[in-house]
Amino acid sequence: MAVDVLLGLQWGDEGKGKIVDYLADKYDLVCRFQGGPNAGHTIVIGQTKYVLHTIPSGIFRSNITNVIGNGVVIDPITFKKELAKLDAAEVKYKKNLLVAKKAHLIVPTHRWLDVASEAAKGKAKIGSTLKGIGPTYMDKTGRNGLRVGDLFAADFREKYDALKAKHMGLLKGYPEVAFNIEEEEQEWFDSIEKLKEIPTIDCEYYVNQAIKDGKKILAEGAQGSMLDIDFGTYPFVTSSNTITAGVCTGLGIAPQQIAEVIGIVKAYCTRVGSGPFPTELHDDTGEKLRKIGHEFGATTGRPRRCGWNDIPQLKYTIMINGVTQLVITKLDVLDDFEKIYVSESYTIEGESNYQLPYDLNDSNIEPNYTEIQGWNSSLDQVESYDQLPKVAKDYIDKLEQMLDTPISMVSTGPERRKLLVR
Ligand code: GDP
Ligand code: IMO
Ligand code: MG
């Protein structure tokens, strides 16, 4: 069992990037297995902040190979920009970044369709990042997509034109939205030259050979389990399997290769975009969490909706993913809170519930909160788990007990070193 998985157990932005960057040192390979430029994974090293969208968060460790798996969708334009930022920071990636030939390509008209589809939905919009994720995965499952391997085919241009023609037909059925196709297309074709410079692999063979060779692999999830296409708050989800099962199809490995599943959870909860969020706070406390936690999207800059942790929701995603250990992030954001709350159950139509209902969207859900004492002091100088105030440890113990899963690490700041290992 050579593959460990790291993924978010809420609605994304749990702090996955920071934890992958920290853990990457213990692995030979870090692999993204799904999602695309809708992701924004922040890593703070020293004074510098990096946001990765498509590139795995192991890229800052020069001895580690980073794989963009076949389950990922790649926009060459975003990808080129990410590489340019790494170049500017003198991060060497030429020898340790690989791309799966079977990864699908986001073309400019995918993004256009994403924008038009959201415009057509009006008030019911998903709140998509508008990066073309939905339309690209639709073309993948609809068997129309273009893949990285196609970039090297003699008839690539014809394939591209056929897909574009199909999209132009579809766009006629949507409200008109502003989009400069000539400009976007020019940039896209310029950018694919950069993508073609990155070595491509048969991901399934590459990863399985690495396993045979005794290499240790970390699979890095994007988004969160509540945004999973099958098990999230459908239809307010993304278009890929963000859960552990997605690792098998997104890299080409068998389930029995998976060992540890590390679930990342914020000390509270956030969501960006539309859709249900039972423990969302619409008051000053929500605003305070957003302000102290700097809860603004790393990809779109949108304000994130904030609320308390939701135990039935977390138990659900722990179950689906087979989580073996938890990492709690952003504990420091709660430094200044007199009281902390977690929802232990829901009341739905007068009845207590410990499970998520079929459709969180139309349930009249009332969270039942448990009050927990805050520690009311700064965790800034805390350098080891033992040094945490007792009340903060009590919160961690309480979460661990309620979630029935060991908590192995606690994060107390965006920087690499602000991590307390238990
Ligand atoms: P990801 O998508 O799961 O990688 O998370 P994002 O990068 O979108 O959002 C997490 C944000 O929280 C980033 O701005 C991180 O720098 C920041 N962050 C991560 N861990 C901590 C922490 O323990 N404390 C604080 N205050 N910020 C953190
Ligand atoms: P990381 O990896 C938070 C949300 C969007 C929207 C829904 C669908 O940084 O945690 P899409 O663009 O996929 O069609 O959007 O999913 N979403 C995210 N929210 N973090 C992310 O990624 C997200 N990726 C997509 O806001 O509600
Ligand atoms: Mg993010």
Side-chain angles (χ1 to χ4, degrees):
M1 297 199 295
V3 183
D4 292 343
V5 180
L6 183 148
L7 38 71
L9 296 183
Q10 294 160 318
W11 279 277
D13 303 328
E14 296 88 350
K16 300 175 290 293
K18 173 189 161 161
I19 308 299
V20 172
D21 167 65
Y22 173 82
L23 289 177
D25 222 11
K26 299 187 172 68
Y27 293 89
D28 301 296
L29 262 72
V30 175
C31 309
R32 276 280 305 272
F33 59 93
Q34 47 69 234
N38 48 350
H41 295 181
T42 313
I43 292 146
V44 179
I45 303 171
Q47 301 297 310
T48 317
K49 178 173 136 176
Y50 303 90
V51 181
L52 297 171
H53 302 285
T54 325
I55 296 172
S57 302
I59 201 70
F60 301 102
R61 311 265 186 189
S62 58
N63 50 336
I64 285 151
T65 303
N66 291 269
V67 171
I68 300 175
N70 56 275
V72 176
V73 290
I74 303 175
D75 183 341
I77 297 179
T78 320
F79 186 65
K80 186 182 174 189
K81 286 182 186 157
E82 276 185 79
L83 292 178
K85 286 204 177 129
L86 293 180
D87 283 330
E90 293 181 13
V91 176
K92 305 267 179 284
Y93 57 80
K94 293 228 160 76
K95 289 205 182 92
N96 63 345
L97 181 61
L98 302 168
V99 182
K101 288 181 198 159
K102 290 186 176 129
H104 278 247
L105 292 168
I106 301 175
V107 301
T109 38
H110 281 135
R111 277 190 291 118
W112 193 353
L113 277 165
D114 209 357
V115 176
S117 156
E118 284 283 78
K121 282 187 156 87
K123 272 195 178 151
K125 71 174 185 198
I126 309 295
S128 158
T129 59
L130 307 178
K131 304 291 177 190
I133 303 296
T136 307
Y137 279 114
M138 280 164 72
D139 272 334
K140 176 179 177 174
T141 52
R143 296 158 295 180
N144 298 304
L146 288 176
R147 303 188 290 180
V148 169
D150 297 331
L151 289 172
F152 304 93
D155 63 347
F156 176 69
R157 185 69 210 212
E158 285 98 276
K159 282 184 170 155
Y160 171 86
D161 286 337
L163 187 62
K164 179 183 164 186
K166 176 184 158 255
H167 291 167
M168 296 309 268
L170 286 172
L171 281 160
K172 291 194 182 121
Y174 284 116
E176 215 169 293
V177 291
F179 197 88
N180 188 332
I181 186 65
E182 282 79 25
E183 213 172 273
E184 298 284 342
E185 214 167 37
Q186 181 65 50
E187 196 179 0
W188 195 83
F189 276 98
D190 288 348
S191 302
I192 60 174
E193 295 310 317
K194 189 76 195 167
L195 174 55
K196 282 160 86 174
E197 287 174 16
I198 306 299
T200 57
I201 50 167
D202 295 305
C203 184
E204 58 281 39
Y205 282 112
Y206 185 90
V207 173
N208 281 288
Q209 188 60 47
I211 294 173
K212 261 195 191 150
D213 294 343
K215 302 255 163 76
K216 287 272 297 161
I217 299 168
L218 181 64
E220 172 181 2
Q223 290 76 59
S225 302
M226 293 304 286
L227 291 170
D228 180 86
I229 183 72
D230 282 278
F231 298 104
T233 45
Y234 194 86
F236 301 101
V237 293
T238 190
S239 298
S240 66
N241 279 118
T242 60
I243 59 171
T244 305
V247 176
C248 295
T249 53
L251 296 178
I253 60 149
Q256 60 267 41
Q257 300 295 352
I258 292 173
E260 288 293 309
V261 180
I262 305 160
I264 316 296
V265 179
K266 265 185 206 177
Y268 49 98
C269 190
T270 64
R271 168 166 209 171
V272 61
S274 328
F277 178 4
T279 55
E280 180 173 12
L281 295 164
H282 299 278
D283 56 9
D284 291 348
T285 311
E287 193 52 49
K288 186 172 164 184
L289 282 171
R290 179 158 41 249
K291 205 164 157 216
I292 300 176
H294 302 292
E295 294 296 354
F296 295 89
T299 297
T300 58
R302 291 177 294 174
R304 295 175 183 149
R305 300 154 63 192
C306 297
W308 295 118
N309 258 332
D310 177 341
I311 301 301
Q313 179 271 298
L314 289 169
K315 286 190 97 156
Y316 173 77
T317 53
I318 287 171
M319 172 182 78
I320 284 167
N321 287 301
V323 172
T324 58
Q325 54 175 291
L326 296 166
V327 177
I328 307 297
T329 58
K330 304 194 96 161
L331 193 68
D332 55 301
V333 174
L334 302 182
D335 281 358
D336 201 20
F337 284 75
E338 201 72 35
K339 303 277 182 205
I340 297 162
Y341 296 85
V342 290
S343 167
E344 285 209 71
S345 63
Y346 307 127
T347 299
I348 306 174
E349 288 166 13
E351 301 230 343
S352 286
N353 274 265
Y354 294 86
Q355 294 192 357
L356 300 196
Y358 161 65
D359 191 351
L360 267 178
N361 294 295
D362 55 26
S363 308
N364 201 355
I365 287 190
E366 206 50 59
N368 298 320
Y369 288 110
T370 296
E371 189 178 276
I372 299 169
Q373 183 58 43
W375 44 95
N376 281 289
S377 61
S378 168
L379 301 182
D380 195 43
Q381 301 302 318
V382 174
E383 283 178 3
S384 70
Y385 193 80
D386 288 343
Q387 288 176 12
L388 270 182
K390 181 174 177 312
V391 195
K393 281 188 198 149
D394 288 346
Y395 177 52
I396 298 299
D397 289 344
K398 176 101 184 144
L399 277 179
E400 188 167 61
Q401 175 221 324
M402 287 188 291
L403 299 172
D404 199 18
T405 310
I407 295 172
S408 56
M409 287 188 283
V410 176
S411 174
T412 56
E415 305 86 3
R416 222 184 223 179
R417 63 183 179 82
K418 295 241 165 145
L419 197 67
L420 314 176
V421 181
R422 265 178 120 190

